Amino acid sequence: MSLDLTPTIARRGLADRVLRRGALEAIATTIIAAGIVMLMQPLSLTLYSWSFATTLFGTVMFTIVSKVRE
């Protein structure tokens, strides 16, 4: 029988440190904002065409990320 004396924080992997709710919510919010800016700009039809997909992707990402642990 062995005791694990290493702290919990030291054992966390890279994925646990990177995939945190706060950072991912900020990224999703930025994607949503980029989609709205793409929708309102008057210069490029290509950006306008992709604006809905970008906003939808950010919204779906935000919905999923909001279920991730703190």
Side-chain angles (χ1 to χ4, degrees):
M1 183 169 145
S2 66
L3 295 174
D4 187 13
L5 299 176
T6 57
T8 306
I9 294 173
R11 284 188 298 160
R12 281 196 283 185
L14 179 65
D16 286 338
R17 283 183 273 148
V18 172
L19 299 176
R20 303 295 284 179
R21 179 194 253 175
L24 292 177
E25 280 182 350
I27 292 170
T29 304
T30 304
I31 292 172
I32 293 169
I36 292 171
V37 168
M38 290 166 60
L39 180 67
M40 294 188 295
Q41 60 82 30
L43 303 174
S44 173
L45 185 60
T46 304
L47 288 178
Y48 179 78
S49 301
W50 282 96
S51 65
F52 178 74
T54 304
T55 307
L56 182 63
F57 175 73
T59 304
V60 170
M61 182 179 171
F62 188 87
T63 303
I64 292 170
V65 166
S66 67
K67 308 295 186 241
V68 173
R69 64 174 182 215
E70 291 275 339

